[in-house]
Amino acid sequence: MHVPVEWLRDYVDFDLEAEDVAKELTAIGLAVESIEDHHLAGPVLEIDVTANRSDCYGVLGLARELAAAIGKEFKMPDLALEESSSKAGDLFTIEVVDADLCPRYTARIVEGVTDCPSPEWMQKRLEGAGLRPISAIVDVTNYVMLEFCQPLHAFDLELLKDKIIVRRAADKEKMTLLDETKLEMNRDNLVIADASGPVALAGVMGGLESEIRPSTSTVLIESAQFERVNVRRTARRNGKSTDSSFRFERGVDPIGVELASRRAAGLIASITGGKVAAGLIDVWATEWNAPQVSMRFARCDKLLGLVIDPDESVKILTGLGLELVERDGEKATFAVPPWREDLTREVDLIEEVVRIHGYHKVPEALTLKIAAAGRNPLYEFKRDCRKMMNSLGYDEAMTDSFVDARGAGKFGFWSGGGPLNVDNPLSSFHNALRDSLIPNLLAAKKNNQDAGADSVSLFEAANVYLRDAAGELDERPVLAMVDDRSFFTSKGSFFTVKGSVEALCDRLGISDVRYFYEENPRDFAHGRFLQLQIGEDTVLGCIGEVSKDIVAAYDLKAAPAVAEIALDVLLSARKTDTALQKIPRFPAVKRDVALIVDGQTKWSVIKMLAKEKRGKYAVDDVKFVSVFEGEPIPAGKKSVALSVLYRADDRTLTDDEVNTVHDEFTAKLAGALSADIRGA
Amino acid sequence: MVDSLESLRVQALEDLDTASTPHELEEWRVKYLSRKGEVRKASALVKTVASEERPAFGKSLNELKNQLIESHKLAEERLTEAEFSEELIDITMPGLERRVGRVHPVTQVTEEIVSVFHSLGFTVAEGPEMEDEYHNFDALNVPPEHPSRDDYDTFYVGKGRLLRSHTSPAQIRTMERQKPPVRVVVPGRCFRPDAVDATHYYCFHQIEGLAVDQGVTFGDLRATLTVFAHGLFGSDTKTRFRPSFFPFTEPSAELDISCPFCPGDGSRCPVCKGAGWIELLGCGMVDPNVFEAVGYDPEKYTGWAFGMGIERICMMRYGINDIRLFYGNDLRFLEQF
């Protein structure tokens, strides 16, 4: 809301410079964003009016606020009206058909008008407020709209046929607005119509046909109250947000409707030489009664943590236009003026008192008692996971929640439904919610590749959005990573990522992780995908190297590996038993064996057989040491080395004892695998 | 005799030269300097020396013994050094390359803020990002089809669900789940369909706080936020409280802080533009309508709430002038934090 400082002087006596006026208004809640020195209007304040103060979109409302802030009296403009012998009621008829959408409709008529430019003082103020002066009649309606926060409309009476009817439009009824837009309306739109059809879109904009012309000599001034939700909908659906609809949406003062009408009629008459016909045509469905609200003084003090003298509270509230109805030692009751619809409860009055009293006077008085913060296991767990990922060399990324549903990469692993659609996306590239973090991590990898990064290891711990089995919307916290580091040169990054996931599980004390090799969703490279589970039936997540199609779709230089695991599952599986495990008293002895097996033999098979065949004193699982192919190992075969730990509970084992058991074990294992023992 | 001593000396020193390991050196010592060693044996030769030559013999023998002891000591030192410097390495080369990754700057700032409130006894609470109209608007006293909703345009995801436009719905859920007192801090991701530019992105993070109990006051809100401002920006930070409006608080306020980023060298501060103050957060006493919605008695309980945008604070602190950098995840950006 732009207001020239000079305009405020009509209603409040003050001696302040623009900067000080700005400070006063900001201190009571009307934040002044800027002060512009307008070439015509002088200093103009740009005020950020909050959504609850519809009255502050009018200069009178702002002047009242300033008066309250600086403790001065507020003066209304002179509304005395000289009326002619002509009776407005004889000249025209108003019929309101849909009173639910138009609680009050008033009209005043000014005859013998000769339109002309509006006076300089008015033009300056309009310019300063950001409106363009046109000619007196229209300028007055704009001026009074700004002054009273009451939108008005002026009709050329001679162009109106028979009478005004305030009604809903018929389905598909058409009209042309004064900005030449052609509209097709429906029953949700309220129109001002005459006998031949719509002449204005109520509360929004006038029609082209009844516009004020240079030859207009009889003006009908409309000042009305239109139902705000309907004005808002109508304005939005037709894409017409105007100064008028803006104010109706926020609610106008039902009493101010008449005052603004009087003001406008008086100004038009005095500027254009017209005569105001006597009387107000007024169709008013309901009578307005001032609501009453009470405020308890003790409650005010208690809420604020500050003692305010009740006399001051009463003075502040009456200074804002509330009328004291009654008062005793404990509370005061006020009648709320019609322009302050936002004051309906005691707490609203308390806010008025404290903001005028001064927020800077609110003491800093800590009353919160000392208490320890509670725990939030999932939040703390996410924090721990981030640190663990950092120590494995990953940086945290934060990617968009949106994806393109048509885009490359169906990595949705948690539910079959595909990404959820967004009804009103900002663009077609962001038309769905991600059901996996992987696509956007791949995009982040691509960005970094383009920037010349050698190596990209990123993780993200965030929510994915799903439809669960019952079709209900669900979100899950997951941890995903993308990695292109390679430690086995020709085998890509698969083992890097697998190692990261294993390190996490190991660090969290999760022992029952199982791998499934069966599924091979098309977005992963053939044979390079693993599904992970905890125990029998709890899905943990997946690991895989992306397919060539994905590499091409994202324009990557090489195929990175990715993983995505469910944080809630990981948290539940984490070892929490902290009782000390007995530390073995006697030392363990390590023995290795290298077996030359068929090249297709899987480690999981070797491990399983080793577990079966292991001998006495063997403790823990066998450990993978290394794999070797090439000379001198025969073609089609590989050498797999593993180590075994032996330990007794009651003594230190001798070399001979261990050798005997180990040799027996290696022989059995080699036999089961049809393998040779290397170096034997 | 002297000749024998001399030849013993020469032999001993030659042998010493060939000792190239501590083990060989020890063998030499045993051979020459131990109780049954050559030097001892040589001293037995004194009997074969004429009596007037015995003092001279004794002196030569002593000299020999001392020289051999000295030489042994030097050889010992030499070999100890050699043991450790068997293989020459270029110690100026860089060490084994490893990386410790970083947490995203938005996470870092979130954690700092959480940490200050945690120290004041605030528990972390989180809520769903996909919300419903009731929790995102109605329970928060934001009426339907009202201009106050204009500030909270939302993305819709079908079936009356939407992406939350602020983390406040999680506060409602917290209050639905428990009875007062409540003391929570609520970080999380929010969404608004704003056109994207240097200061607006459709995805962003907020952190809100809520304290409800008997006797909680506006003054307490002001005091707690000042404590927080000191905790995050330093104990010299000044705070300023001014009226504002939010549908879910009454009275409402905005907290400004004295700009902690001013260069102090006379040049214009890029953050506060010379005003000396920056807006930090919005706050206020919880509106009684909100308490009614969650079933708390507003006569018995009062509370306050605040909310701030994380990216904004991060941008101010680090001089980041484009919010899109947070979501681009360029390592050249991430690695700076």
Side-chain angles (χ1 to χ4, degrees):
Chain A
M1 172 74 181
H2 291 85
V3 60
V5 175
E6 165 277 322
W7 194 344
L8 293 166
R9 291 187 203 281
D10 277 8
Y11 320 108
V12 193
D13 231 331
F14 61 89
D15 215 354
L16 304 165
E17 295 299 322
E19 283 79 20
D20 296 315
V21 173
K23 282 203 184 95
E24 292 289 344
L25 290 175
T26 302
I28 58 168
L30 289 162
V32 175
E33 307 271 282
S34 66
I35 306 174
E36 187 212 326
D37 211 359
H38 193 271
H39 64 287
L40 292 171
V44 172
L45 305 177
E46 184 190 350
I47 302 177
D48 186 17
V49 178
T50 50
N52 59 327
R53 293 302 302 272
S54 50
D55 62 313
C56 289
Y57 285 104
V59 182
L60 290 178
L62 294 171
R64 271 199 194 94
E65 288 287 300
L66 180 61
I70 60 178
K72 291 278 171 88
E73 226 190 281
F74 164 79
K75 297 173 299 206
M76 275 289 269
D78 182 7
L79 297 175
L81 203 57
E82 208 182 285
E83 293 174 316
S84 72
S85 52
S86 213
K87 288 208 183 83
D90 292 342
L91 294 172
F92 210 69
T93 316
I94 310 284
E95 191 188 312
V96 176
V97 173
D98 292 287
D100 57 324
L101 296 183
C102 178
R104 189 177 191 185
Y105 193 97
T106 72
R108 272 201 163 86
I109 298 174
V110 186
E111 300 174 285
V113 162
T114 311
D115 207 2
C116 56
S118 50
E120 214 184 292
W121 62 265
M122 184 180 284
Q123 290 197 35
K124 271 197 228 171
R125 287 180 177 180
L126 287 173
E127 295 257 16
L131 290 179
R132 192 172 52 89
I134 300 169
S135 68
I137 299 169
V138 170
D139 288 355
V140 166
T141 58
N142 281 332
Y143 184 84
V144 175
M145 173 187 73
L146 291 175
E147 187 178 41
F148 278 76
C149 195
Q150 172 61 45
L152 304 172
H153 191 71
F155 292 100
D156 183 332
L157 193 69
E158 275 140 38
L159 296 175
L160 292 173
K161 192 155 185 290
D162 283 0
K163 59 180 174 172
I164 274 180
I165 312 156
V166 182
R167 61 170 174 79
R168 288 173 188 268
D171 208 31
K172 296 201 198 332
E173 189 169 9
K174 293 186 176 41
M175 75 171 288
T176 307
L177 298 175
L178 53 76
D179 68 355
E180 298 181 27
T181 317
K182 292 193 184 1
L183 287 187
E184 187 179 285
M185 300 174 288
N186 59 43
R187 279 197 48 81
D188 283 337
N189 305 136
L190 187 71
V191 295
I192 313 300
D194 66 9
S196 63
V199 293
L201 188 60
V204 182
M205 195 183 281
L208 192 58
E209 282 143 19
S210 54
E211 224 195 330
I212 299 294
R213 308 160 294 168
S215 60
T216 299
S217 67
T218 314
V219 175
L220 183 143
I221 303 167
E222 164 197 285
S223 181
Q225 188 190 21
F226 298 113
E227 197 279 315
R228 73 189 71 188
V229 175
N230 190 265
V231 171
R232 182 181 157 93
R233 275 195 208 140
T234 298
R236 262 146 208 260
R237 284 193 195 148
N238 293 300
K240 297 274 167 220
S241 190
T242 59
D243 287 324
S244 169
S245 67
F246 186 87
R247 287 169 172 80
F248 280 119
E249 269 185 55
R250 281 153 178 75
V252 299
D253 172 356
I255 305 301
V257 164
E258 193 275 318
L259 301 175
S261 169
R262 202 186 306 179
R263 175 75 161 149
L267 284 172
I268 288 175
S270 66
I271 296 167
T272 66
K275 302 263 180 275
V276 183
L280 176 77
I281 308 177
D282 190 0
V283 183
W284 197 359
T286 46
E287 238 186 72
W288 183 82
N289 287 309
Q292 291 193 0
V293 184
S294 300
M295 187 186 85
R296 293 166 289 177
F297 305 120
R299 178 76 184 168
C300 179
D301 293 345
K302 188 160 183 242
L303 185 68
L304 300 175
L306 162 69
V307 173
I308 300 183
D309 184 344
D311 286 343
E312 192 193 337
S313 297
V314 171
K315 182 155 175 258
I316 287 172
L317 292 170
T318 51
L320 286 167
L322 282 76
E323 203 187 294
L324 182 63
V325 170
E326 68 180 336
R327 175 183 172 174
D328 60 30
E330 287 175 8
K331 68 179 202 294
T333 304
F334 299 86
V336 178
W339 61 82
R340 292 302 306 270
E341 270 194 327
D342 60 305
L343 302 178
T344 57
R345 308 164 302 171
E346 178 181 60
V347 73
D348 301 321
L349 299 189
I350 294 175
E351 181 179 63
E352 294 304 286
V353 167
V354 68
R355 75 181 177 92
I356 303 295
H357 179 72
Y359 271 32
H360 60 283
K361 292 188 192 151
V362 175
E364 289 185 18
L366 210 52
T367 59
L368 285 184
K369 304 175 200 68
I370 293 179
R375 307 293 300 266
N376 183 325
L378 180 61
Y379 190 80
E380 292 165 27
F381 184 62
K382 284 193 274 193
R383 182 191 284 156
D384 290 343
C385 283
R386 286 192 189 99
K387 291 277 150 69
M388 288 192 283
M389 292 303 289
N390 284 161
S391 67
L392 292 170
Y394 294 85
D395 288 311
E396 185 186 16
M398 228 175 230
T399 66
D400 235 318
S401 290
F402 297 121
V403 288
D404 185 344
R406 310 157 297 184
K410 307 281 181 284
F411 290 99
F413 179 74
W414 309 102
S415 73
L420 295 174
N421 285 319
V422 176
D423 293 346
N424 53 334
L426 274 180
S427 85
S428 57
F429 299 109
H430 300 104
N431 55 18
L433 285 170
R434 64 192 181 192
D435 59 352
S436 162
L437 299 181
I438 294 169
N440 285 342
L441 281 176
L442 289 174
K445 172 160 169 49
K446 160 83 170 122
N447 285 346
N448 278 294
Q449 178 187 286
D450 290 345
D454 282 333
S455 166
V456 177
S457 319
L458 294 171
F459 80 92
E460 184 168 7
N463 288 332
V464 293
Y465 315 92
L466 312 165
R467 208 182 296 281
D468 69 15
E472 290 305 308
L473 298 185
D474 188 24
E475 48 195 90
R476 284 188 86 169
V478 300
L479 171 69
M481 63 195 89
V482 63
D483 205 335
D484 57 14
R485 290 175 294 174
S486 175
F487 298 108
F488 290 75
T489 37
S490 63
K491 302 206 198 284
S493 320
F494 180 85
F495 291 105
T496 312
V497 169
K498 190 179 181 199
S500 302
V501 175
E502 285 173 342
L504 277 182
C505 291
D506 183 59
R507 179 65 183 77
L508 294 169
I510 299 171
S511 48
D512 196 12
V513 180
R514 303 187 192 187
Y515 298 101
F516 288 86
Y517 315 95
E518 304 138 6
E519 279 184 54
N520 187 25
R522 59 197 148 83
D523 291 311
F524 290 99
H526 179 66
R528 298 188 178 198
F529 170 76
L530 267 184
Q531 183 177 314
L532 298 134
Q533 255 171 235
I534 309 259
E536 293 283 311
D537 47 27
T538 310
V539 174
L540 174 61
C542 66
I543 299 171
E545 184 183 291
V546 305
S547 68
K548 286 192 178 50
D549 285 345
I550 293 294
V551 171
Y554 284 85
D555 197 20
L556 301 172
K557 285 194 186 138
V562 296
E564 189 162 88
I565 51 184
L567 283 169
D568 43 8
V569 171
L570 207 61
L571 173 58
S572 309
R574 177 172 66 169
K575 175 173 175 293
T576 49
D577 162 27
T578 51
L580 184 66
Q581 304 285 331
K582 197 163 147 218
I583 293 163
R585 202 168 150 208
F586 298 97
V589 178
K590 189 158 84 115
R591 285 281 187 273
D592 284 358
V593 59
L595 296 164
I596 301 174
V597 295
D598 190 80
Q600 301 299 319
T601 310
K602 292 215 185 295
W603 166 251
S604 55
V605 171
I606 298 172
K607 187 171 166 180
M608 183 190 64
L609 287 170
K611 197 166 178 165
E612 262 180 42
K613 308 290 176 201
R614 72 189 202 173
K616 212 172 154 186
Y617 309 125
V619 294
D620 300 342
D621 282 336
V622 300
K623 258 187 105 117
F624 174 85
V625 172
S626 64
V627 67
F628 180 75
E629 283 173 285
E631 299 270 308
I633 308 298
K637 292 205 182 274
K638 61 186 175 185
S639 168
V640 179
L642 51 96
S643 69
V644 189
L645 272 186
Y646 295 96
R647 184 177 60 233
D649 286 334
D650 58 341
R651 62 204 154 85
T652 306
L653 296 167
T654 65
D655 271 352
D656 283 339
E657 283 181 289
V658 175
N659 288 341
T660 308
V661 178
H662 187 64
D663 288 345
E664 205 185 304
F665 161 71
T666 56
K668 278 192 198 159
L669 184 60
L673 289 165
S674 309
D676 295 316
I677 298 175
R678 189 171 175 197
Chain B
M1 295 305 112
V2 174
D3 282 342
S4 296
L5 285 184
E6 183 57 30
S7 57
L8 173 59
R9 191 179 71 84
V10 166
Q11 184 63 50
L13 290 175
E14 263 177 32
D15 275 355
L16 183 59
D17 264 345
T18 66
S20 60
T21 70
H23 184 71
E24 285 171 12
L25 184 62
E26 182 56 19
E27 279 178 358
W28 180 92
R29 191 194 66 81
V30 167
K31 181 175 176 189
Y32 287 99
L33 292 176
S34 68
R35 241 183 311 153
K36 297 188 181 159
E38 295 300 318
V39 171
R40 259 307 180 88
K41 284 189 203 154
S43 67
L45 290 172
V46 74
K47 300 189 189 82
T48 63
V49 172
S51 55
E52 64 272 14
E53 289 177 15
R54 283 186 194 178
F57 179 82
K59 187 166 170 232
S60 302
L61 184 61
N62 249 356
E63 276 172 16
L64 168 62
K65 192 167 88 173
N66 288 335
Q67 187 187 20
L68 290 186
I69 290 174
E70 189 63 39
S71 304
H72 172 261
K73 206 165 130 196
L74 287 172
E76 203 175 37
E77 279 170 28
R78 174 178 45 88
L79 278 181
T80 312
E81 254 178 59
E83 201 182 314
F84 287 121
S85 61
E86 255 162 49
E87 189 198 322
L88 222 57
I89 55 172
D90 175 4
I91 55 176
T92 66
M93 287 196 313
L96 176 68
E97 187 177 343
R98 292 145 98 185
R99 255 182 114 258
V100 180
R102 295 166 141 84
V103 151
H104 194 278
V106 166
T107 304
Q108 286 184 32
V109 171
T110 306
E111 288 298 296
E112 273 190 60
I113 296 172
V114 165
S115 159
V116 175
F117 281 100
H118 194 78
S119 71
L120 298 175
F122 284 72
T123 308
V124 176
E126 291 183 285
E129 291 171 32
M130 291 192 293
E131 265 297 354
D132 52 50
E133 292 266 356
Y134 177 75
H135 287 91
N136 198 63
F137 289 124
D138 303 300
L140 288 163
N141 201 35
V142 183
E145 306 209 70
H146 191 267
S148 59
R149 281 223 193 185
D150 288 347
D151 295 331
Y152 304 103
D153 272 351
T154 45
F155 287 107
Y156 286 88
V157 292
K159 290 182 167 209
R161 303 292 289 274
L162 46 78
L163 294 176
R164 65 182 178 185
S165 47
H166 41 190
T167 40
S168 316
Q171 295 185 25
I172 299 291
R173 289 181 184 276
T174 300
M175 289 192 279
E176 284 172 344
R177 275 198 297 265
Q178 66 180 93
K179 295 251 160 286
V182 177
R183 206 186 289 192
V184 291
V185 70
V186 185
R189 186 176 278 214
C190 313
F191 305 84
R192 296 212 189 141
D194 286 339
V196 173
D197 61 29
T199 53
H200 297 90
Y201 204 71
Y202 40 79
C203 222
F204 57 96
H205 293 78
Q206 280 188 346
I207 182 162
E208 302 201 7
L210 173 68
V212 180
D213 203 346
Q214 295 185 54
V216 173
T217 69
F218 206 32
D220 180 75
L221 168 62
R222 187 166 188 204
T224 309
L225 291 178
T226 300
V227 169
F228 161 67
H230 288 172
L232 197 64
F233 295 103
S235 50
D236 290 338
T237 310
K238 295 199 227 350
T239 59
R240 189 168 76 176
F241 215 36
R242 57 185 164 81
S244 184
F245 169 74
F246 305 104
F248 25 82
T249 49
E250 188 89 351
S252 306
E254 299 221 9
L255 189 84
D256 300 330
I257 53 167
S258 51
C259 180
F261 311 111
C262 286
D265 57 3
S267 64
R268 198 168 107 114
C269 175
V271 181
C272 71
K273 317 265 191 291
W277 293 91
I278 50 175
E279 278 178 36
L280 186 64
L281 50 81
C283 60
M285 302 307 287
V286 178
D287 193 298
N289 287 357
V290 173
F291 283 145
E292 304 270 359
V294 299
Y296 285 6
D297 179 0
E299 278 297 300
K300 194 165 171 209
Y301 295 105
T302 51
W304 51 251
F306 68 82
M308 67 188 110
I310 310 245
E311 279 85 355
R312 196 176 148 264
I313 292 178
C314 209
M315 288 170 79
M316 289 195 296
R317 173 187 269 191
Y318 295 115
I320 298 168
N321 54 10
D322 194 329
I323 196 174
R324 293 168 284 199
L325 289 169
F326 292 115
Y327 295 93
N329 298 297
D330 189 323
L331 287 167
R332 297 169 301 178
F333 171 76
L334 296 176
E335 279 168 4
Q336 295 195 40
F337 303 101

